[in-house]
Amino acid sequence: MKSKLGRIIEHYGELNQHDKAIEECNELAVAIKDYMKLPTAENRFRMIDEMADVTVMLEQLKIMNVCTTEVAGRIIYKINRQIERMEKDGRTAGEQY
């Protein structure tokens, strides 16, 4: 998949793809809000479609910024940090904050 993403980056240019990533993240934010407000099949599909777009752009960002390993490490760190926070908080699953 990296070779196809590399072709896309080369075709459109890195600056453009950084801008495109911002655009796709904004579109996902709107799609999430729309689905949360009105959880229809159409809004769900749109949200999933935008999630896919953002995932593709994130993969391109990792390639362009040579940070795949660093991002993977930060993901693990952030998941573990959140679990620690939850355990310190002592609330059970589903309790309101």
Side-chain angles (χ1 to χ4, degrees):
M1 180 163 66
K2 278 190 179 181
S3 63
K4 288 182 180 180
L5 293 175
R7 286 178 58 200
I8 293 168
I9 294 164
E10 189 175 312
H11 181 83
Y12 292 105
E14 289 192 14
L15 182 60
N16 183 70
Q17 292 310 89
H18 278 84
D19 287 340
K20 186 68 171 175
I22 294 166
E23 176 187 324
E24 294 297 350
C25 287
N26 288 329
E27 290 176 7
L28 175 58
V30 171
I32 292 168
K33 287 182 90 168
D34 289 348
Y35 181 69
M36 296 304 294
K37 185 170 39 173
L38 187 63
T40 63
E42 181 180 338
N43 284 344
R44 180 178 180 275
F45 176 80
R46 183 169 156 248
M47 181 179 68
I48 291 168
D49 204 46
E50 294 302 339
M51 289 169 65
D53 287 342
V54 168
T55 300
V56 170
M57 295 314 301
L58 289 174
E59 291 300 316
Q60 289 183 58
L61 286 170
K62 289 190 290 186
I63 292 167
M64 291 184 291
N65 294 286
V66 192
C67 61
T68 300
T69 302
E70 291 168 273
V71 170
R74 294 304 295 167
I75 290 169
I76 292 167
Y77 167 79
K78 289 178 177 282
I79 290 169
N80 289 333
R81 182 183 65 184
Q82 188 59 42
I83 295 297
E84 288 174 13
R85 288 176 177 166
M86 291 164 48
E87 289 171 350
K88 285 180 186 175
D89 186 34
R91 294 178 208 210
T92 58
E95 279 188 70
Q96 295 294 316
Y97 286 83

